[in-house]
Amino acid sequence: MSEEVKKFKITIDGQETEVAPGTTILEAARQIGGKSVPPAMCYYKPLETSGGRCRTCLVEVSKGSEADPRPMPKLVASCRTGVMDGMEVKNLNSEKTQEARHAVTEFLLINHPLDCPVCDQAGECHLQDLGYEHGLERTRTEFERRTFEPEDIGPYIKLHMNRCILCARCVLLANQLTEEREHGILFRGEQAEISTYLNKALDNDFIGNVIDVCPVGALTDRTSRFASRVWFTKPMNASCECDKCSGKVVLWMKGDEVIRVTTRQDQYAESEEWICNSCRWDKKDTKFWNIEGPRHIDRHSVISLNHYQKPVDEPVLLDNPFAKQLSNKDEHQAEEQK
């Protein structure tokens, strides 16, 4: 009979939970949920060795553990730091964390263009959310942004290096799903870029998944570019019989037309199962699919806010102090009229 593994207790923003040894602070925060979950631009749970690159998930550890209650001297990357028993972490409640996240967002936007109005990723972009929360109205740097020409790196994939933040998710996915990777990070430092070797095209049965793992609009689907804004489409769960993958996808539909096909993703925009290129691009017609019903988008985004089928007990009020203040004012006026 195996011995029961003792779980570690961790407190994040005053909320306590128990996790298994070896769990990272980020995964512990996700177990708690809510706004205590740090943002993550490079960490992607299904990808091995992901994380530790973007530094948006920095948190303050105010208490190391029960055995050693001293605080950690510096902010730590929550996606790469393991939990200790009795650890106390500050995310929203830490001024240092918010200041660091503000600085990291500014660094990410040094070269990233603010072309959200024309970007296909607008409405489901993590960097767009960070830019709205922590970005500046204008850049403080004087040098010109580095620019690249859009590049077709496959028959269905377009690369916009201008928008890339070098999170390396696409490279890690290719390492994990393919035996012969044809693209990677070339050069070093400020000259680093994602590209293929000698302009080779990405050709693999599962390479289309690099589009889904990209947190910004650097890798886009050539078959659905500029076809429709994401908030004008209806995501539908669908499945088919496929000999390469599970065949479980999300169809993004505009009327009866299938605009694009993607993997099913959880509330942190991480793919549940990879899908093959055939399901993604060769079956963009409802006749190939068994449509199961509407897909509820769990993550906080313009898609979930505009979703046409809201779950029970979902708050209709936007979660910000100004909206709450207006709502309370309206309620007060209604009571006075009574």
Side-chain angles (χ1 to χ4, degrees):
M1 188 174 181
S2 59
E3 297 182 1
E4 185 178 355
V5 178
K6 181 184 177 182
K7 291 189 174 183
F8 289 167
K9 290 184 179 180
I10 179 173
T11 304
I12 302 176
D13 288 340
Q15 303 174 85
E16 185 178 286
T17 187
E18 293 186 350
V19 297
T23 304
T24 62
I25 296 176
L26 179 59
E27 287 299 329
R30 288 184 174 184
Q31 183 170 309
I32 293 175
K35 290 189 174 182
S36 294
V37 182
M41 297 293 297
C42 65
Y43 176 76
Y44 205 83
K45 188 176 181 180
L47 297 179
E48 300 173 0
T49 70
S50 66
R53 290 178 173 85
C54 70
R55 316 312 267 187
T56 59
C57 68
L58 291 174
V59 294
E60 178 184 355
V61 178
S62 57
K63 179 181 178 181
S65 65
E66 287 293 346
D68 186 1
R70 293 177 300 174
M72 290 190 177
K74 296 181 180 180
L75 301 180
V76 298
S78 59
C79 66
R80 285 298 186 98
T81 306
V83 169
M84 298 298 292
D85 191 24
M87 178 179 282
E88 294 182 4
V89 177
K90 292 182 179 180
N91 178 32
L92 289 175
N93 300 336
S94 170
E95 184 178 346
K96 292 181 180 179
T97 298
Q98 299 305 315
E99 184 179 352
R101 197 161 293 155
H102 181 88
V104 169
T105 303
E106 185 178 6
F107 273 117
L108 291 176
L109 293 175
I110 283 180
N111 286 304
H112 188 93
L114 299 179
D115 61 347
C116 301
V118 299
C119 180
D120 277 316
Q121 193 79 1
E124 50 184 355
C125 176
H126 297 188
L127 187 57
Q128 188 179 22
D129 297 337
L130 280 175
Y132 182 78
E133 295 175 10
H134 302 283
L136 301 176
E137 292 183 359
R138 58 180 63 89
T139 180
R140 295 189 294 171
T141 58
E142 297 180 355
F143 54 83
E144 295 183 0
R145 298 173 186 263
R146 65 175 192 167
T147 57
F148 301 84
E149 290 295 327
E151 180 183 359
D152 294 333
I153 57 174
Y156 302 111
I157 305 174
K158 183 173 283 291
L159 170 65
H160 284 256
M161 256 309 298
N162 294 347
R163 302 169 182 167
C164 181
I165 60 171
L166 294 173
C167 68
R169 283 183 180 180
C170 61
V171 180
L172 295 176
L173 181 131
N175 280 341
Q176 190 167 312
L177 295 184
T178 69
E179 296 181 357
E180 297 181 0
R181 175 165 55 85
E182 289 134 347
H183 79 293
I185 301 177
L186 306 183
F187 314 118
R188 296 183 178 183
E190 65 177 7
Q191 302 299 324
E193 62 176 280
I194 297 288
S195 185
T196 58
Y197 181 65
L198 295 179
N199 295 326
K200 291 186 66 176
L202 301 186
D203 184 18
N204 183 271
D205 286 339
F206 287 84
I207 202 62
N209 291 284
V210 297
I211 299 172
D212 292 338
V213 302
C214 182
V216 294
L219 291 167
T220 54
D221 187 343
R222 291 177 61 190
T223 66
S224 62
R225 294 177 72 246
F226 310 126
S228 175
R229 283 300 188 185
V230 68
W231 52 84
F232 293 136
T233 60
K234 296 180 180 180
M236 307 292 287
N237 283 334
S239 60
C240 71
E241 293 184 3
C242 181
D243 56 356
K244 295 180 181 179
C245 66
S246 66
K248 297 179 180 179
V249 304
V250 176
L251 303 181
W252 297 83
M253 303 182 64
K254 191 173 184 180
D256 295 330
E257 180 185 3
V258 178
I259 300 297
R260 63 172 180 156
V261 182
T262 65
T263 58
R264 298 185 182 185
Q265 299 180 345
D266 61 17
Q267 60 180 322
Y268 302 111
E270 295 178 352
S271 299
E272 298 174 358
E273 295 180 88
W274 309 119
I275 63 174
C276 65
N277 292 352
S278 178
C279 288
R280 186 182 298 272
W281 288 308
D282 298 339
K283 300 178 181 180
K284 296 185 73 172
D285 195 311
T286 54
K287 67 181 181 181
F288 296 109
W289 300 99
N290 173 31
I291 299 180
E292 301 169 358
R295 174 76 175 181
H296 173 63
I297 305 301
D298 293 324
R299 62 183 287 260
H300 177 73
S301 69
V302 68
I303 317 169
S304 59
L305 291 178
N306 274 356
H307 205 280
Y308 54 92
Q309 184 183 29
K310 294 184 177 181
V312 180
D313 299 330
E314 180 183 10
V316 295
L317 184 66
L318 290 176
D319 194 6
N320 64 69
F322 183 68
K324 289 180 178 178
Q325 183 179 357
L326 291 178
S327 177
N328 293 335
K329 183 178 179 180
D330 293 341
E331 291 179 359
H332 182 67
Q333 291 177 351
E335 290 180 358
E336 288 182 347
Q337 290 177 358
K338 290 179 180 180

mmCIF file of all heavy atoms in Angstrom, residues 39 55-60 75 90-108 130 133-136 140:
data_model
loop_
_atom_site.group_PDB
_atom_site.id
_atom_site.type_symbol
_atom_site.label_atom_id
_atom_site.label_comp_id
_atom_site.label_asym_id
_atom_site.label_seq_id
_atom_site.Cartn_x
_atom_site.Cartn_y
_atom_site.Cartn_z
ATOM 1 N N PRO A 39 -0.620 36.572 -15.400
ATOM 2 C CA PRO A 39 -0.655 36.364 -16.851
ATOM 3 C C PRO A 39 0.572 35.589 -17.304
ATOM 4 O O PRO A 39 1.602 35.587 -16.634
ATOM 5 C CB PRO A 39 -0.645 37.793 -17.408
ATOM 6 C CG PRO A 39 0.024 38.602 -16.343
ATOM 7 C CD PRO A 39 -0.372 37.977 -15.039
ATOM 8 N N ARG A 55 8.526 36.817 -18.611
ATOM 9 C CA ARG A 55 8.547 37.453 -17.283
ATOM 10 C C ARG A 55 7.286 38.237 -16.937
ATOM 11 O O ARG A 55 7.283 39.063 -16.022
ATOM 12 C CB ARG A 55 9.758 38.403 -17.126
ATOM 13 C CG ARG A 55 11.063 37.891 -17.633
ATOM 14 C CD ARG A 55 11.369 36.490 -17.178
ATOM 15 N NE ARG A 55 12.161 36.433 -15.966
ATOM 16 C CZ ARG A 55 12.651 35.297 -15.464
ATOM 17 N NH1 ARG A 55 12.412 34.148 -16.067
ATOM 18 N NH2 ARG A 55 13.357 35.305 -14.370
ATOM 19 N N THR A 56 6.203 37.982 -17.628
ATOM 20 C CA THR A 56 4.954 38.648 -17.247
ATOM 21 C C THR A 56 4.326 38.029 -16.008
ATOM 22 O O THR A 56 3.445 38.633 -15.395
ATOM 23 C CB THR A 56 3.927 38.601 -18.396
ATOM 24 O OG1 THR A 56 3.659 37.237 -18.734
ATOM 25 C CG2 THR A 56 4.438 39.347 -19.614
ATOM 26 N N CYS A 57 4.763 36.829 -15.638
ATOM 27 C CA CYS A 57 4.156 36.125 -14.504
ATOM 28 C C CYS A 57 4.930 36.342 -13.206
ATOM 29 O O CYS A 57 4.769 35.582 -12.250
ATOM 30 C CB CYS A 57 4.057 34.630 -14.806
ATOM 31 S SG CYS A 57 5.652 33.780 -14.903
ATOM 32 N N LEU A 58 5.762 37.375 -13.143
ATOM 33 C CA LEU A 58 6.529 37.650 -11.930
ATOM 34 C C LEU A 58 5.611 37.893 -10.739
ATOM 35 O O LEU A 58 4.593 38.582 -10.851
ATOM 36 C CB LEU A 58 7.424 38.877 -12.135
ATOM 37 C CG LEU A 58 8.601 38.721 -13.108
ATOM 38 C CD1 LEU A 58 9.289 40.066 -13.300
ATOM 39 C CD2 LEU A 58 9.589 37.684 -12.613
ATOM 40 N N VAL A 59 5.976 37.311 -9.592
ATOM 41 C CA VAL A 59 5.217 37.504 -8.357
ATOM 42 C C VAL A 59 6.187 37.727 -7.203
ATOM 43 O O VAL A 59 7.384 37.443 -7.303
ATOM 44 C CB VAL A 59 4.318 36.285 -8.046
ATOM 45 C CG1 VAL A 59 3.227 36.130 -9.081
ATOM 46 C CG2 VAL A 59 5.145 35.009 -7.937
ATOM 47 N N GLU A 60 5.644 38.247 -6.109
ATOM 48 C CA GLU A 60 6.448 38.483 -4.906
ATOM 49 C C GLU A 60 6.174 37.381 -3.886
ATOM 50 O O GLU A 60 5.021 37.129 -3.532
ATOM 51 C CB GLU A 60 6.100 39.848 -4.302
ATOM 52 C CG GLU A 60 6.871 40.155 -3.018
ATOM 53 C CD GLU A 60 6.439 41.467 -2.388
ATOM 54 O OE1 GLU A 60 5.612 42.173 -2.995
ATOM 55 O OE2 GLU A 60 6.919 41.774 -1.270
ATOM 56 N N LEU A 75 11.670 39.341 -7.141
ATOM 57 C CA LEU A 75 10.477 38.757 -7.749
ATOM 58 C C LEU A 75 10.873 37.503 -8.522
ATOM 59 O O LEU A 75 11.963 37.421 -9.086
ATOM 60 C CB LEU A 75 9.821 39.762 -8.708
ATOM 61 C CG LEU A 75 9.377 41.094 -8.100
ATOM 62 C CD1 LEU A 75 8.751 41.969 -9.166
ATOM 63 C CD2 LEU A 75 8.408 40.873 -6.952
ATOM 64 N N LYS A 90 2.338 37.124 -3.168
ATOM 65 C CA LYS A 90 1.542 38.308 -3.471
ATOM 66 C C LYS A 90 1.564 38.540 -4.979
ATOM 67 O O LYS A 90 2.624 38.592 -5.583
ATOM 68 C CB LYS A 90 2.092 39.533 -2.744
ATOM 69 C CG LYS A 90 1.936 39.498 -1.238
ATOM 70 C CD LYS A 90 2.478 40.784 -0.616
ATOM 71 C CE LYS A 90 2.320 40.784 0.891
ATOM 72 N NZ LYS A 90 2.852 42.038 1.483
ATOM 73 N N ASN A 91 0.385 38.683 -5.537
ATOM 74 C CA ASN A 91 0.284 38.992 -6.963
ATOM 75 C C ASN A 91 -0.428 40.339 -7.137
ATOM 76 O O ASN A 91 0.203 41.353 -7.371
ATOM 77 C CB ASN A 91 -0.465 37.881 -7.697
ATOM 78 C CG ASN A 91 -0.636 38.164 -9.175
ATOM 79 O OD1 ASN A 91 0.214 38.800 -9.794
ATOM 80 N ND2 ASN A 91 -1.744 37.733 -9.746
ATOM 81 N N LEU A 92 -1.744 40.347 -6.985
ATOM 82 C CA LEU A 92 -2.492 41.600 -7.098
ATOM 83 C C LEU A 92 -2.182 42.545 -5.948
ATOM 84 O O LEU A 92 -2.243 43.769 -6.103
ATOM 85 C CB LEU A 92 -3.996 41.311 -7.126
ATOM 86 C CG LEU A 92 -4.544 40.649 -8.386
ATOM 87 C CD1 LEU A 92 -6.016 40.337 -8.192
ATOM 88 C CD2 LEU A 92 -4.349 41.529 -9.594
ATOM 89 N N ASN A 93 -1.854 41.992 -4.772
ATOM 90 C CA ASN A 93 -1.634 42.807 -3.580
ATOM 91 C C ASN A 93 -0.218 43.351 -3.479
ATOM 92 O O ASN A 93 0.125 43.975 -2.472
ATOM 93 C CB ASN A 93 -1.937 41.989 -2.318
ATOM 94 C CG ASN A 93 -3.373 41.494 -2.292
ATOM 95 O OD1 ASN A 93 -4.233 42.078 -2.925
ATOM 96 N ND2 ASN A 93 -3.617 40.414 -1.565
ATOM 97 N N SER A 94 0.611 43.114 -4.494
ATOM 98 C CA SER A 94 2.002 43.538 -4.428
ATOM 99 C C SER A 94 2.259 44.711 -5.357
ATOM 100 O O SER A 94 2.056 44.622 -6.566
ATOM 101 C CB SER A 94 2.920 42.375 -4.796
ATOM 102 O OG SER A 94 4.259 42.807 -4.959
ATOM 103 N N GLU A 95 2.727 45.814 -4.796
ATOM 104 C CA GLU A 95 3.079 46.974 -5.617
ATOM 105 C C GLU A 95 4.293 46.669 -6.486
ATOM 106 O O GLU A 95 4.366 47.106 -7.639
ATOM 107 C CB GLU A 95 3.353 48.173 -4.700
ATOM 108 C CG GLU A 95 3.637 49.463 -5.457
ATOM 109 C CD GLU A 95 3.848 50.640 -4.530
ATOM 110 O OE1 GLU A 95 3.513 50.521 -3.333
ATOM 111 O OE2 GLU A 95 4.345 51.683 -4.998
ATOM 112 N N LYS A 96 5.235 45.891 -5.958
ATOM 113 C CA LYS A 96 6.419 45.523 -6.734
ATOM 114 C C LYS A 96 6.033 44.698 -7.969
ATOM 115 O O LYS A 96 6.564 44.906 -9.061
ATOM 116 C CB LYS A 96 7.389 44.712 -5.865
ATOM 117 C CG LYS A 96 8.053 45.475 -4.747
ATOM 118 C CD LYS A 96 8.998 44.569 -3.977
ATOM 119 C CE LYS A 96 9.684 45.306 -2.850
ATOM 120 N NZ LYS A 96 10.589 44.394 -2.079
ATOM 121 N N THR A 97 5.110 43.765 -7.773
ATOM 122 C CA THR A 97 4.686 42.912 -8.884
ATOM 123 C C THR A 97 4.022 43.727 -9.979
ATOM 124 O O THR A 97 4.321 43.554 -11.167
ATOM 125 C CB THR A 97 3.718 41.827 -8.372
ATOM 126 O OG1 THR A 97 4.394 40.998 -7.429
ATOM 127 C CG2 THR A 97 3.217 40.977 -9.521
ATOM 128 N N GLN A 98 3.125 44.618 -9.600
ATOM 129 C CA GLN A 98 2.424 45.421 -10.597
ATOM 130 C C GLN A 98 3.371 46.370 -11.318
ATOM 131 O O GLN A 98 3.244 46.592 -12.535
ATOM 132 C CB GLN A 98 1.288 46.205 -9.930
ATOM 133 C CG GLN A 98 0.226 45.343 -9.283
ATOM 134 C CD GLN A 98 -0.386 44.333 -10.246
ATOM 135 O OE1 GLN A 98 -0.724 44.667 -11.386
ATOM 136 N NE2 GLN A 98 -0.520 43.092 -9.814
ATOM 137 N N GLU A 99 4.340 46.905 -10.600
ATOM 138 C CA GLU A 99 5.323 47.788 -11.219
ATOM 139 C C GLU A 99 6.200 47.016 -12.206
ATOM 140 O O GLU A 99 6.485 47.498 -13.313
ATOM 141 C CB GLU A 99 6.197 48.433 -10.133
ATOM 142 C CG GLU A 99 7.192 49.447 -10.666
ATOM 143 C CD GLU A 99 8.022 50.081 -9.553
ATOM 144 O OE1 GLU A 99 7.701 49.840 -8.363
ATOM 145 O OE2 GLU A 99 8.974 50.805 -9.878
ATOM 146 N N ALA A 100 6.601 45.801 -11.816
ATOM 147 C CA ALA A 100 7.415 44.969 -12.703
ATOM 148 C C ALA A 100 6.624 44.555 -13.937
ATOM 149 O O ALA A 100 7.155 44.543 -15.059
ATOM 150 C CB ALA A 100 7.901 43.731 -11.953
ATOM 151 N N ARG A 101 5.346 44.214 -13.772
ATOM 152 C CA ARG A 101 4.515 43.814 -14.906
ATOM 153 C C ARG A 101 4.319 44.982 -15.873
ATOM 154 O O ARG A 101 4.270 44.803 -17.089
ATOM 155 C CB ARG A 101 3.179 43.285 -14.397
ATOM 156 C CG ARG A 101 2.391 42.482 -15.408
ATOM 157 C CD ARG A 101 1.359 41.634 -14.700
ATOM 158 N NE ARG A 101 1.978 40.601 -13.887
ATOM 159 C CZ ARG A 101 1.411 40.045 -12.822
ATOM 160 N NH1 ARG A 101 0.203 40.425 -12.442
ATOM 161 N NH2 ARG A 101 2.047 39.105 -12.142
ATOM 162 N N HIS A 102 4.213 46.164 -15.305
ATOM 163 C CA HIS A 102 4.109 47.358 -16.136
ATOM 164 C C HIS A 102 5.381 47.534 -16.975
ATOM 165 O O HIS A 102 5.312 47.839 -18.174
ATOM 166 C CB HIS A 102 3.897 48.570 -15.225
ATOM 167 C CG HIS A 102 3.759 49.871 -15.945
ATOM 168 N ND1 HIS A 102 2.559 50.353 -16.407
ATOM 169 C CD2 HIS A 102 4.686 50.804 -16.299
ATOM 170 C CE1 HIS A 102 2.742 51.516 -17.008
ATOM 171 N NE2 HIS A 102 4.027 51.805 -16.948
ATOM 172 N N ALA A 103 6.550 47.321 -16.350
ATOM 173 C CA ALA A 103 7.822 47.470 -17.058
ATOM 174 C C ALA A 103 8.002 46.381 -18.117
ATOM 175 O O ALA A 103 8.466 46.655 -19.235
ATOM 176 C CB ALA A 103 8.979 47.424 -16.062
ATOM 177 N N VAL A 104 7.615 45.141 -17.791
ATOM 178 C CA VAL A 104 7.734 44.045 -18.751
ATOM 179 C C VAL A 104 6.847 44.301 -19.963
ATOM 180 O O VAL A 104 7.253 44.074 -21.106
ATOM 181 C CB VAL A 104 7.371 42.699 -18.081
ATOM 182 C CG1 VAL A 104 7.220 41.607 -19.124
ATOM 183 C CG2 VAL A 104 8.444 42.303 -17.078
ATOM 184 N N THR A 105 5.633 44.779 -19.727
ATOM 185 C CA THR A 105 4.729 45.090 -20.836
ATOM 186 C C THR A 105 5.319 46.165 -21.729
ATOM 187 O O THR A 105 5.234 46.090 -22.964
ATOM 188 C CB THR A 105 3.367 45.555 -20.297
ATOM 189 O OG1 THR A 105 2.819 44.544 -19.448
ATOM 190 C CG2 THR A 105 2.401 45.839 -21.427
ATOM 191 N N GLU A 106 5.959 47.156 -21.117
ATOM 192 C CA GLU A 106 6.594 48.208 -21.915
ATOM 193 C C GLU A 106 7.719 47.642 -22.776
ATOM 194 O O GLU A 106 7.871 48.020 -23.943
ATOM 195 C CB GLU A 106 7.127 49.307 -20.990
ATOM 196 C CG GLU A 106 7.706 50.498 -21.747
ATOM 197 C CD GLU A 106 8.182 51.597 -20.820
ATOM 198 O OE1 GLU A 106 8.176 51.389 -19.589
ATOM 199 O OE2 GLU A 106 8.563 52.673 -21.323
ATOM 200 N N PHE A 107 8.488 46.717 -22.234
ATOM 201 C CA PHE A 107 9.564 46.090 -23.003
ATOM 202 C C PHE A 107 8.998 45.267 -24.159
ATOM 203 O O PHE A 107 9.535 45.277 -25.266
ATOM 204 C CB PHE A 107 10.422 45.201 -22.100
ATOM 205 C CG PHE A 107 11.526 45.936 -21.410
ATOM 206 C CD1 PHE A 107 11.558 46.029 -20.025
ATOM 207 C CD2 PHE A 107 12.540 46.540 -22.133
ATOM 208 C CE1 PHE A 107 12.570 46.719 -19.380
ATOM 209 C CE2 PHE A 107 13.556 47.230 -21.492
ATOM 210 C CZ PHE A 107 13.577 47.320 -20.115
ATOM 211 N N LEU A 108 7.906 44.530 -23.899
ATOM 212 C CA LEU A 108 7.309 43.719 -24.957
ATOM 213 C C LEU A 108 6.771 44.582 -26.098
ATOM 214 O O LEU A 108 6.710 44.137 -27.245
ATOM 215 C CB LEU A 108 6.181 42.859 -24.385
ATOM 216 C CG LEU A 108 6.586 41.729 -23.436
ATOM 217 C CD1 LEU A 108 5.350 41.027 -22.886
ATOM 218 C CD2 LEU A 108 7.486 40.718 -24.140
ATOM 219 N N LEU A 130 -2.716 42.897 -21.815
ATOM 220 C CA LEU A 130 -1.661 43.479 -20.982
ATOM 221 C C LEU A 130 -1.410 44.936 -21.357
ATOM 222 O O LEU A 130 -1.180 45.777 -20.491
ATOM 223 C CB LEU A 130 -0.361 42.677 -21.133
ATOM 224 C CG LEU A 130 -0.235 41.390 -20.336
ATOM 225 C CD1 LEU A 130 1.058 40.666 -20.701
ATOM 226 C CD2 LEU A 130 -0.270 41.662 -18.842
ATOM 227 N N GLU A 133 -4.031 47.085 -19.829
ATOM 228 C CA GLU A 133 -3.943 47.207 -18.374
ATOM 229 C C GLU A 133 -2.691 47.951 -17.926
ATOM 230 O O GLU A 133 -2.728 48.715 -16.953
ATOM 231 C CB GLU A 133 -3.958 45.812 -17.739
ATOM 232 C CG GLU A 133 -5.260 45.066 -17.940
ATOM 233 C CD GLU A 133 -5.186 43.650 -17.403
ATOM 234 O OE1 GLU A 133 -4.197 43.333 -16.719
ATOM 235 O OE2 GLU A 133 -6.089 42.854 -17.687
ATOM 236 N N HIS A 134 -1.565 47.712 -18.620
ATOM 237 C CA HIS A 134 -0.290 48.240 -18.133
ATOM 238 C C HIS A 134 0.476 49.080 -19.148
ATOM 239 O O HIS A 134 1.534 49.611 -18.819
ATOM 240 C CB HIS A 134 0.622 47.077 -17.700
ATOM 241 C CG HIS A 134 0.040 46.201 -16.648
ATOM 242 N ND1 HIS A 134 -0.005 46.556 -15.313
ATOM 243 C CD2 HIS A 134 -0.547 44.976 -16.727
ATOM 244 C CE1 HIS A 134 -0.578 45.591 -14.622
ATOM 245 N NE2 HIS A 134 -0.921 44.618 -15.451
ATOM 246 N N GLY A 135 -0.014 49.176 -20.379
ATOM 247 C CA GLY A 135 0.739 49.874 -21.414
ATOM 248 C C GLY A 135 0.696 51.381 -21.273
ATOM 249 O O GLY A 135 -0.142 51.951 -20.563
ATOM 250 N N LEU A 136 1.622 52.038 -21.973
ATOM 251 C CA LEU A 136 1.679 53.488 -22.000
ATOM 252 C C LEU A 136 1.000 54.019 -23.261
ATOM 253 O O LEU A 136 0.825 53.298 -24.239
ATOM 254 C CB LEU A 136 3.142 53.960 -21.976
ATOM 255 C CG LEU A 136 3.982 53.525 -20.766
ATOM 256 C CD1 LEU A 136 5.421 53.973 -20.940
ATOM 257 C CD2 LEU A 136 3.408 54.094 -19.482
ATOM 258 N N ARG A 140 8.540 55.495 -24.871
ATOM 259 C CA ARG A 140 9.540 56.419 -24.337
ATOM 260 C C ARG A 140 10.868 56.288 -25.067
ATOM 261 O O ARG A 140 11.809 57.020 -24.775
ATOM 262 C CB ARG A 140 9.750 56.152 -22.846
ATOM 263 C CG ARG A 140 8.527 56.436 -21.995
ATOM 264 C CD ARG A 140 8.855 56.366 -20.529
ATOM 265 N NE ARG A 140 9.208 55.018 -20.115
ATOM 266 C CZ ARG A 140 9.711 54.720 -18.917
ATOM 267 N NH1 ARG A 140 9.921 55.683 -18.032
ATOM 268 N NH2 ARG A 140 9.999 53.472 -18.607
#
